[in-house]
Amino acid sequence: MSEIKKIKEEYLLKLDQVLDQNKLNEIKTELFGKNGIISNKFKQLGLIGEDKRKEFASELNFLKSELQELISKKNENIENQEINKKLKDDNIDVTLPGRTYFVGKIHPVSQVIDEVTSIFSEIGFSVEEGPDVESEYYNFSALNTPEDHPARDMHDTFYLEHSKDLLLRTHTSPVQIRTMLKGKPPFKIIAPGRTYRHDSDQTHSPMFHQLEGLHIDKNINMGHLKGCLYYFVKKFFEVDKVKIRFRPSHFPFTEPSAEVDIGYKIQDGKIKIGEGDKWLEILGCGMVHPNVLKNAKVNPNQYQGYAFGVGIDRLAMLKYGINDLRAFFESDIRWLEFYGFDPLDVPTNYRGLSR
Ligand code: PHE
């Protein structure tokens, strides 16, 4: 067998068995590298007798191009195989829908607390907080509530088990005492927070929210209280005119005391604030009782002022037309999706996507 034929058969077999790029490159060098078999044969051409040289050269050239062609085909095959294997292994399902961003909603109560806080901040009130679990002293006694007052009754107040002294605060008014005890007058604060009473129907929930207001200085009178509440109600409901009714009332911690109702009517199934002849009670208020100031180490001969306690959930119901308070706290995501508010910094195309 001629030398050329031998090489050809050997390498056809080798190339047939090659499975990967590395092996193929090895064979390429073996044949065409600096010291490769084919390269060396070309170098030897000069040693061959003239008569055979031409034939040998042409056979060699033929073999060279045959092998080169085979190698490049093999190369292509191996590349394709590698791509196919990768596609199979990666196993990506490109038909799957993209990932959606679910953006939460702000609960109407949180929204209203933010709104109310910003309205009062604009007119100089700062924000205070107090604990939900309160002592009987701060919740009642320091607020001038007599021992036999019906509000202390087991039926209204959630007392903590095994304790006569600890309870879930029934209003935010204990924050008045805490604020005055830790600072020096004048005081001009609001205190939003959770409050608890043994009560449950369409407009009462055992856990609800209040916002306390307290303004104590040397010359604060009931005119300031009225002005402040008018300002607040107009700003909050975004109306120019409101109907407000001060009804004489009684709280142990204020004297005189009043309950405040705002006028509204229902028009085309929607609530209109500031018009009409229906009334809804939204807050209790009054001039802080001298005994309360004394208990809070403030001299009632020098200082006086007003306080109020607003029902935050009621405000939310009125402003946003929600008629059952209990739904506020049932954590129904569909309810929140409907009545909740978009966080401010979310791009519009991400808002309100349903689950
Ligand atoms: N704490 C009273 C209530 O819960 C409201 C109130 C606060 C009244 C401050 C007067 C002054 O009903």
Side-chain angles (χ1 to χ4, degrees):
M1 203 193 295
S2 86
E3 225 177 326
I4 301 259
K5 238 185 178 166
K6 241 171 145 182
I7 298 174
K8 183 176 162 174
E9 266 174 29
E10 187 188 339
Y11 277 90
L12 284 186
L13 193 73
K14 272 194 179 175
L15 281 171
D16 195 46
Q17 289 165 350
V18 167
L19 289 175
D20 63 273
Q21 206 79 47
N22 285 344
K23 192 77 200 150
L24 189 66
N25 284 336
E26 256 172 46
I27 292 177
K28 226 165 136 183
T29 333
E30 250 174 72
L31 290 168
F32 305 107
K34 233 178 167 194
N35 266 318
I37 297 172
I38 303 285
S39 318
N40 282 341
K41 286 275 172 257
F42 274 107
K43 282 181 206 156
Q44 288 161 15
L45 270 181
L47 305 174
I48 297 173
E50 218 167 314
D51 51 333
K52 294 218 171 132
R53 195 185 293 156
K54 217 173 161 192
E55 200 196 325
F56 190 79
S58 108
E59 266 183 70
L60 193 57
N61 267 322
F62 194 77
L63 175 65
K64 183 186 166 190
S65 47
E66 204 181 357
L67 287 174
Q68 274 176 337
E69 209 173 297
L70 252 176
I71 287 175
S72 96
K73 258 201 193 132
K74 197 76 196 180
N75 186 38
E76 214 175 286
N77 278 348
I78 292 174
E79 267 177 11
N80 280 342
Q81 266 170 22
E82 277 172 4
I83 291 174
N84 284 340
K85 186 171 181 299
K86 228 182 178 172
L87 282 177
K88 213 170 131 206
D89 290 352
D90 278 359
N91 219 356
I92 296 172
D93 183 354
V94 290
T95 65
L96 271 180
R99 231 164 255 170
T100 329
Y101 291 85
F102 292 119
V103 173
K105 293 269 187 150
I106 294 174
H107 194 284
V109 171
S110 307
Q111 169 77 15
V112 166
I113 290 178
D114 286 351
E115 289 176 20
V116 167
T117 305
S118 98
I119 293 170
F120 280 107
S121 309
E122 276 171 28
I123 50 171
F125 286 83
S126 54
V127 180
E128 289 288 339
E129 273 180 318
D132 289 16
V133 174
E134 193 46 283
S135 72
E136 197 262 6
Y137 179 74
Y138 285 127
N139 195 81
F140 291 126
S141 307
L143 288 162
N144 198 37
T145 313
E147 286 297 331
D148 56 357
H149 194 279
R152 293 183 180 233
D153 202 303
M154 286 301 208
H155 295 289
D156 282 315
T157 306
F158 292 113
Y159 284 89
L160 263 68
E161 244 180 326
H162 311 304
S163 170
K164 264 197 229 140
D165 186 46
L166 290 178
L167 45 81
L168 294 176
R169 65 177 177 187
T170 58
H171 50 182
T172 42
S173 300
V175 187
Q176 290 185 31
I177 306 293
R178 289 178 174 275
T179 304
M180 291 192 278
L181 280 177
K182 73 172 190 210
K184 282 197 160 52
F187 300 103
K188 197 175 181 186
I189 61 110
I190 50 167
R194 281 183 289 269
T195 47
Y196 307 83
R197 278 178 215 174
H198 202 287
D199 222 347
S200 182
D201 61 35
Q202 201 177 339
T203 51
H204 294 91
S205 136
M207 190 280 297
F208 57 107
H209 297 81
Q210 280 193 342
L211 177 104
E212 196 75 9
L214 175 72
H215 188 182
I216 303 286
D217 208 335
K218 290 196 166 140
N219 299 303
I220 299 299
N221 59 49
M222 226 169 156
H224 295 110
L225 168 62
K226 227 176 141 176
C228 170
L229 292 179
Y230 264 97
Y231 173 84
F232 162 67
V233 173
K234 279 198 276 190
K235 272 262 174 176
F236 179 75
F237 289 106
E238 297 164 31
V239 289
D240 296 331
K241 270 197 289 184
V242 278
K243 269 167 67 176
I244 293 186
R245 181 166 82 175
F246 283 74
R247 261 184 302 111
S249 183
H250 171 78
F251 299 103
F253 33 93
T254 45
E255 182 60 37
S257 303
E259 275 170 313
V260 172
D261 305 333
I262 54 176
Y264 73 98
K265 70 174 176 193
I266 307 282
Q267 200 174 42
D268 304 325
K270 276 202 177 138
I271 191 155
K272 285 207 126 182
I273 303 292
E275 312 169 23
D277 49 15
K278 288 179 183 283
W279 296 98
L280 197 105
E281 184 193 323
I282 56 157
L283 65 89
C285 61
M287 300 305 292
V288 177
H289 197 290
N291 289 347
V292 173
L293 294 175
K294 271 186 228 156
N295 292 338
K297 309 274 183 279
V298 174
N299 183 350
N301 296 320
Q302 283 183 342
Y303 288 96
Q304 61 181 29
Y306 61 82
F308 56 85
V310 195
I312 290 182
D313 319 271
R314 294 270 180 100
L315 289 182
M317 290 172 78
L318 275 178
K319 182 162 178 181
Y320 298 112
I322 309 168
N323 53 27
D324 194 335
L325 175 63
R326 286 165 300 192
F328 275 62
F329 311 120
E330 277 168 4
S331 302
D332 184 336
I333 202 80
R334 293 162 304 176
W335 184 89
L336 194 58
E337 199 79 56
F338 185 79
Y339 284 110
F341 293 81
D342 292 318
L344 280 179
D345 53 353
V346 176
T348 28
N349 52 336
Y350 286 175
R351 288 186 187 174
L353 292 169
S354 53
R355 259 142 256 260

